[in-house]
Amino acid sequence: MDMTFRGAARRLDDIDLPKLGARIGVGEDEMHAFLDVETSGHGFDAVGRPVILFEPHVFYRNLSGAKRAQAVAAGLAYPKWGAKPYPRDSYPRLRAACAIDETAALKSASWGLGQVLGENFKAAGFLTVQAMAEAMMADEALQLGAAIDFIVEKRLDDNLRNHDWSGFAKGYNGAGYRKNAYDTRLAEAYRKWSRIKDTPWPSAGPVSSAVVPAVPPEPAKPIAVPQATATPSGPPVAVARPGFWAALIAAILKLSAILKLFGRK
């Protein structure tokens, strides 16, 4: 693991929010509200590292034996959340924690736009916590995608779609969400963004002709159109169908033969 924690640091494009939100059936406003509350809308700090928060109580529970004792002695681990104030920059503590146990340290930080805790790397769609950290260093879209995977895994997507802010905040931030007013902050952020015009996002994106060849439309089937004919004035005149006269002559000849037959008697 690169201890500078600096990667490509690609930022979100405007279209990324509605595109990623569409994965769980929410719009840009819900995504903006979520990001505002979790990270103020930024996934990287001023020097291009993922925004993180190192949690000493999480580091404590991911260690045991001599490593835990070493971390406690260094002030990097303690049993309960909130025992001591957090420093403004978590990276010095993260690097020091990595020197004791890299995997446990990476699990003990929350990462990027969604502030997904490293412990949840599998729910966020990664095989290892190291792979998660590297993705967080690379791209804000990957950060947000990991948060969406976590939301789906924890079955919180219904809460977000239904604007159940307290249910979402409890599931995402834990039972102590009210202490930081996560639910009311989510509601306020959503109201703010709902008044701002969204980036257009079609329900089904256009198909690229480079991937799927264009298929020409089938030719239209000819439609029989009756030909206009001049209609004489006056009452309608019956028009004999083809073969009419031949049939009439045959009937007269037959009748004549019958009459001759009776006349011979």
Side-chain angles (χ1 to χ4, degrees):
M1 177 60 61
D2 180 0
M3 287 296 112
T4 68
F5 295 97
R6 295 182 69 176
R10 288 185 290 268
R11 303 285 182 172
L12 281 174
D13 290 330
D14 287 344
I15 201 66
D16 286 329
L17 281 184
K19 180 172 70 176
L20 290 168
R23 285 173 48 187
I24 54 173
V26 301
E28 188 174 347
D29 299 334
E30 289 87 351
M31 298 306 295
H32 269 302
F34 168 66
L35 295 181
D36 279 5
V37 171
E38 290 299 328
T39 55
S40 299
H42 299 288
F44 296 105
D45 64 15
V47 296
R49 302 172 301 185
V51 173
I52 67 162
L53 185 66
F54 180 76
E55 303 274 12
H57 70 288
V58 180
F59 194 40
Y60 183 92
R61 72 179 176 229
N62 278 282
L63 296 173
S64 60
K67 286 186 176 181
R68 177 184 282 179
Q70 182 183 356
V72 170
L76 298 171
Y78 40 78
K80 293 183 179 181
W81 175 80
K84 298 178 183 179
Y86 289 177
R88 185 176 182 85
D89 183 359
S90 282
Y91 276 102
R93 292 207 294 187
L94 177 60
R95 281 192 288 268
C98 284
I100 296 173
D101 188 311
E102 180 181 282
T103 297
L106 296 176
K107 286 181 178 181
S108 303
S110 51
W111 296 86
L113 281 171
Q115 286 294 282
V116 178
L117 190 63
E119 277 188 329
N120 297 310
F121 67 90
K122 289 184 179 178
F126 299 96
L127 294 177
T128 66
V129 70
Q130 283 82 0
M132 176 178 166
E134 288 171 359
M136 299 301 102
M137 292 156 55
D139 196 325
E140 284 182 340
L142 292 176
Q143 294 178 5
L144 185 53
I148 289 173
D149 285 342
F150 177 76
I151 288 168
V152 172
E153 177 69 19
K154 299 300 180 182
R155 300 181 180 179
L156 299 174
D157 44 325
D158 279 341
N159 301 97
L160 196 56
R161 279 191 296 269
N162 297 328
H163 302 161
D164 175 13
W165 306 119
S166 59
F168 180 82
K170 182 178 180 180
Y172 200 87
N173 298 107
Y177 71 93
R178 285 193 179 92
K179 183 174 182 179
N180 292 308
Y182 280 119
D183 53 337
T184 56
R185 289 163 58 197
L186 282 165
E188 290 167 1
Y190 176 75
R191 282 194 294 271
K192 178 188 78 173
W193 284 104
S194 65
R195 295 191 292 267
I196 299 171
K197 185 177 180 180
D198 290 344
T199 302
W201 173 250
S203 57
V207 178
S208 170
S209 59
V211 179
V212 180
V215 179
E218 293 184 3
K221 295 181 180 179
I223 300 173
V225 179
Q227 297 296 318
T229 57
T231 304
S233 59
V237 178
V239 178
R241 291 176 295 179
F244 172 79
W245 293 114
L248 180 60
I249 292 169
I252 293 170
L253 290 174
K254 186 175 181 181
L255 180 60
S256 176
I258 292 170
L259 292 174
K260 286 180 181 180
L261 181 62
F262 280 104
R264 288 176 183 173
K265 290 185 177 181

